[in-house]
Amino acid sequence: MILQSDFNKFLQEIRPTQAMRDQLITGHKTLRDRLNAEQDLKPILVSDFLQGSYRRHTALRPKGDKRSDVDIVIATKLDETEYTPKEAMALFEPFLDKYYKGKWRPQGRSFGIELSYIELDIVPTSAPAQQEYGILRSDAVTSDDDIFEARDWRLHQSWLALNNRSRIDAKLLLDQATSEAEWQAKPLRIPDRDADEWDDTHPLEQIRWTRDKNLRCNGHFVNVVKCIKWWRLEHYAAPAHPKGFPLERLIGEHCPDGIESVSEGVVKTLEAIVSSYSFLVLIREKPTLPDYGVPSHDVFKRITGEVFCTFYDQVKTGADLSRRAFDSEDRTESGNLWRKMFGAKFPEPPSNGSGKEGGFTPPTNPATPGTGRFA
């Protein structure tokens, strides 16, 4: 059974709480305000913006002692022919010591900051072409709105964030953003400290692709991602990978367009993964999945064949269980199977075995701008 009302309740339970969202907002706004006020860094800054699951609306409520996290890209004017990755990242260390001493750590391509309530990940980039400064400073890039909250989001210089739509020319600008082609963003270059080289990344294309896929899936794709991510967290501590964006990329590869419910998307995505990689698993290999906007970048590069085969066996188990839940015509049996799939946060079904599904809620029109974050 679809059990849409149960899935709605379940999704509410696995999204970040309002308190968590408030903490994320406080954390990233404070960092960005400090960054833009820092006199020593002002000459090299172009803009900063949110990326990752926070912006793509695929974030989960942390389990156990984990903290909510948010990723922040810092576009700079640094020329990679003049700065090595280590030199570029070293420019930010005085700032980090000033405001986050003892709380930050260098990572391969970023800095991690651990606060008592959240984690921040900041990613510096090298200089984009100067003609791209305008779009990188526009609301389309710097907005805090995620792709569900602002469902009309377009990568266009005239697009306005939700909190800027009271201005007198708002309708004119939004009409312009809708009627004209989106900006064809180029990849940004990030410093890889370990490899001592600059590498391509395309967070804006990841956001745009997720938006478009969600529309093609009738607004269900981001929730399919959340469900499958939670299923892994609930049942499998190992292997640790794939997770995060690589797992989202795999789900995006196999979730069918046109799905009419989250439950349908979960079943068909897991089954498609099983059918697509049976031969690769026989020879103990793993797939290659190019990043959106950077085809040369394999998001599965660091995943071994052995790890993928273990993950594949887990997917087979999940695909079988979710298919039984989806095909069951008994309300109680279906609910219990979905609860076995997703754990105690999935609503407990009625025990009377009525065989009827109640409380169906039609999906919201994904083209209608929303106002609730992480809805």
Side-chain angles (χ1 to χ4, degrees):
M1 280 187 170
I2 292 173
L3 301 187
Q4 188 67 51
S5 61
D6 285 359
F7 269 88
N8 289 343
K9 293 174 185 175
F10 168 60
L11 286 160
Q12 188 63 37
E13 287 297 309
I14 66 173
R15 295 180 185 116
T17 65
Q18 184 62 51
M20 291 173 184
R21 296 195 295 268
D22 291 344
Q23 289 172 342
L24 285 169
I25 292 168
T26 298
H28 80 72
K29 281 186 176 294
T30 299
L31 184 143
R32 295 164 78 186
D33 288 346
R34 287 170 171 171
L35 185 69
N36 286 285
E38 189 66 17
Q39 293 301 315
D40 290 342
L41 292 177
K42 270 189 176 183
I44 67 169
L45 299 182
V46 176
S47 76
D48 54 83
F49 62 93
L50 304 179
Q51 66 155 347
S53 60
Y54 183 99
R55 188 78 183 269
R56 294 191 302 269
H57 192 64
T58 54
L60 289 180
R61 182 180 305 185
K63 293 195 72 175
D65 58 357
K66 298 289 186 181
R67 302 178 184 89
S68 299
D69 64 278
V70 63
D71 302 326
I72 303 163
V73 174
I74 305 171
T76 78
K77 299 176 183 177
L78 299 176
D79 188 331
E80 64 185 80
T81 64
E82 298 178 7
Y83 291 86
T84 68
K86 289 181 180 178
E87 290 169 342
M89 296 187 78
L91 294 175
F92 291 89
E93 293 182 4
F95 166 80
L96 292 168
D97 277 336
K98 180 178 179 179
Y99 292 107
Y100 301 100
K101 192 172 183 63
K103 299 175 182 178
W104 68 272
R105 64 189 182 279
Q107 300 173 153
R109 301 180 177 192
S110 64
F111 294 103
I113 302 173
E114 284 191 21
L115 304 179
S116 59
Y117 53 97
I118 63 164
E119 294 186 9
L120 302 167
D121 199 56
I122 60 174
V123 185
T125 75
S126 65
Q130 196 161 2
Q131 59 266 32
E132 297 182 353
Y133 285 10
I135 188 71
L136 287 171
R137 290 167 173 160
S138 71
D139 277 12
V141 174
T142 63
S143 169
D144 297 348
D145 306 323
D146 66 48
I147 62 168
F148 187 92
E149 185 174 43
R151 298 187 211 182
D152 63 353
W153 177 78
R154 286 177 61 79
L155 195 51
H156 190 284
Q157 201 158 348
S158 295
W159 185 85
L160 294 176
L162 297 179
N163 63 353
N164 284 334
R165 296 190 179 185
S166 59
R167 50 189 286 178
I168 194 168
D169 58 347
K171 185 178 185 307
L172 177 65
L173 290 170
L174 289 169
D175 286 347
Q176 186 177 2
T178 301
S179 61
E180 296 180 358
E182 288 187 278
W183 178 55
Q184 296 304 305
K186 295 180 181 179
L188 294 169
R189 302 275 288 171
I190 57 175
D192 188 326
R193 189 198 313 260
D194 298 333
D196 195 28
E197 63 184 16
W198 293 83
D199 198 9
D200 285 345
T201 187
H202 212 327
L204 293 172
E205 193 58 37
Q206 292 172 359
I207 296 167
R208 175 158 49 190
W209 191 94
T210 304
R211 175 206 64 188
D212 291 346
K213 179 68 174 179
N214 199 49
L215 288 171
R216 296 197 302 272
C217 291
N218 296 310
H220 297 303
F221 174 69
V222 293
N223 287 329
V224 171
V225 170
K226 293 187 190 101
C227 287
I228 293 177
K229 279 183 171 180
W230 187 267
W231 160 73
R232 286 218 71 216
L233 287 174
E234 185 70 21
H235 293 287
Y236 303 108
H241 299 280
K243 64 179 183 178
F245 181 70
L247 181 56
E248 287 190 35
R249 176 67 182 83
L250 182 68
I251 297 168
E253 185 76 8
H254 297 288
C255 183
D257 292 349
I259 55 173
E260 296 182 357
S261 68
V262 177
S263 52
E264 179 190 2
V266 169
V267 175
K268 291 186 174 179
T269 298
L270 295 177
E271 289 180 340
I273 292 171
V274 172
S275 64
S276 296
Y277 302 120
S278 57
F279 177 74
L280 277 180
V281 169
L282 281 176
I283 60 174
R284 313 305 288 176
E285 290 290 344
K286 54 89 181 255
T288 297
L289 288 177
D291 198 355
Y292 305 130
V294 189
S296 61
H297 179 206
D298 175 18
V299 301
F300 266 35
K301 180 180 179 180
R302 301 185 182 186
I303 297 172
T304 66
E306 202 63 35
V307 163
F308 183 76
C309 290
T310 301
F311 166 75
Y312 179 88
D313 288 339
Q314 296 167 354
V315 171
K316 285 182 70 175
T317 300
D320 176 68
L321 179 57
S322 61
R323 171 54 70 181
R324 288 162 53 206
F326 187 72
D327 286 349
S328 174
E329 296 182 359
D330 182 88
R331 173 73 176 82
T332 301
E333 179 187 53
S334 179
N336 280 325
L337 289 169
W338 283 122
R339 189 173 167 87
K340 184 177 180 181
M341 178 84 179
F342 295 119
K345 289 193 180 295
F346 196 89
E348 191 170 2
S351 58
N352 58 9
S354 66
K356 295 181 180 180
E357 177 184 354
F360 177 76
T361 304
T364 304
N365 180 357
T368 303
T371 56
R373 184 177 292 274
F374 293 98

